[in-house]
């Protein structure tokens, strides 16, 4: 049976941070499902840097259908979870169904790939205390407040938790996540 991977996301997620792992994991042979607050067509965004701006800008990105709503997810059906960034984690962390799902993955020590603002979700379930992580650099204080040791690096691996700063770090992020995933849930 092919191992299944869950992507937890919503509107305003960074397009590349959803679609790159979705396609890369499918290419590797995993069955990948996208879960969101409701089953609907999601509107992703594109974050990039423009001259004269102190931070990134946001533009409309791709749309993509959610395969299932958070309330429909059985975490036991999935070998690992991916948490993209963008603005979605800012509001998703308040969703009790998402927190329940994520806590199940953490309690079972299943592989978790998080990127950019995605670590706001693992912080929301108090899963970063004593861990080493990276995230979008502007979240350094948030990660420290969550009890994590922050590293400004393209990828940080702490056991089954693999984190990255943002979409420019995709190659390193997925390379390290696949190393963890192949050990814990190889494609059969």
């Amino acid at each position: 049976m092919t191992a299944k991977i869950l992507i937890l996301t919503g509107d305003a997620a960074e397009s590349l941070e959803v679609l790159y792992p979705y396609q890369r994991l499918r290419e590797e042979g995993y069955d990948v499902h996208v879960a969101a607050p409701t089953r609907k067509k999601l509107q992703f965004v594109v974050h990039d840097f423009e001259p004269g701006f102190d931070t990134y800008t946001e533009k409309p990105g791709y749309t993509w259908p959610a395969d299932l709503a958070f309330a429909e997810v059985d975490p036991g059906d999935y070998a690992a979870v991916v948490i993209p960034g963008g603005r979605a984690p800012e509001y998703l962390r308040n969703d009790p169904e998402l927190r329940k799902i994520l806590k199940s993955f953490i309690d079972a020590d299943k592989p978790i790939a998080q990127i950019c603002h995605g670590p706001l979700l693992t912080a929301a379930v108090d899963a970063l205390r004593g861990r080493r992580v990276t995230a979008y650099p502007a979240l350094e204080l948030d990660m420290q407040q969550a009890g994590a040791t922050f590293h400004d690096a393209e990828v940080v691996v702490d056991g089954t938790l693999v984190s990255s700063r943002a979409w420019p770090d995709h190659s390193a992020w997925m390379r390290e996540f696949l190393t963890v995933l192949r050990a814990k849930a190889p494609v059969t």
Side-chain angles (χ1 to χ4, degrees), residues 47-188:
H47 289 147
D48 212 346
F49 292 90
E50 300 289 339
F53 282 75
D54 291 332
T55 188
Y56 57 84
T57 61
E58 184 172 282
K59 298 166 184 67
Y62 293 104
T63 59
W64 198 263
D67 297 307
L68 59 165
F70 293 151
E72 299 172 301
V73 172
D74 178 352
D77 290 344
Y78 295 90
V81 67
V82 175
I83 307 169
R87 278 186 303 112
E90 293 174 9
Y91 70 90
L92 292 177
R93 63 185 165 175
N94 297 309
D95 188 300
E97 289 295 324
L98 177 135
R99 291 194 310 267
K100 184 173 74 175
I101 293 165
L102 194 51
K103 186 87 170 85
S104 177
F105 279 93
I106 291 159
D107 290 348
D109 196 32
K110 291 183 179 179
I112 298 172
Q114 59 184 9
I115 191 166
C116 191
H117 284 71
L120 291 174
L121 298 184
T122 48
V125 295
D126 196 29
L128 298 182
R129 195 164 311 285
R131 310 273 318 247
R132 294 176 301 106
V133 299
T134 193
Y136 187 71
L139 296 185
E140 180 176 0
L141 293 177
D142 300 271
M143 297 299 97
Q144 291 170 347
Q145 288 290 4
T149 301
F150 179 84
H151 298 274
D152 187 3
E154 67 180 355
V155 66
V156 172
V157 179
D158 186 323
T160 57
L161 180 65
V162 181
S163 54
S164 234
R165 295 175 298 200
W167 59 262
D169 299 331
H170 273 163
S171 297
W173 181 49
M174 279 294 106
R175 183 173 41 254
E176 294 300 328
F177 183 59
L178 282 166
T179 297
V180 171
L181 198 51
R182 287 177 188 128
K184 294 284 263 183
V187 173
T188 56

Side-chain angles (χ1 to χ4, degrees), residues 10-79:
D11 287 327
E14 164 56 52
S15 292
L16 290 174
E17 293 172 2
V18 176
L19 297 176
Y20 180 79
Y22 178 86
Q23 292 171 338
R24 182 65 190 95
L25 292 166
R26 285 176 46 96
E27 177 184 46
E28 194 71 20
Y30 291 96
D31 186 11
V32 183
H33 297 161
V34 175
T38 61
R39 219 186 256 237
K40 69 173 200 163
K41 181 164 59 168
L42 299 168
Q43 176 63 60
F44 300 144
V45 298
V46 172
H47 289 147
D48 212 346
F49 292 90
E50 300 289 339
F53 282 75
D54 291 332
T55 188
Y56 57 84
T57 61
E58 184 172 282
K59 298 166 184 67
Y62 293 104
T63 59
W64 198 263
D67 297 307
L68 59 165
F70 293 151
E72 299 172 301
V73 172
D74 178 352
D77 290 344
Y78 295 90

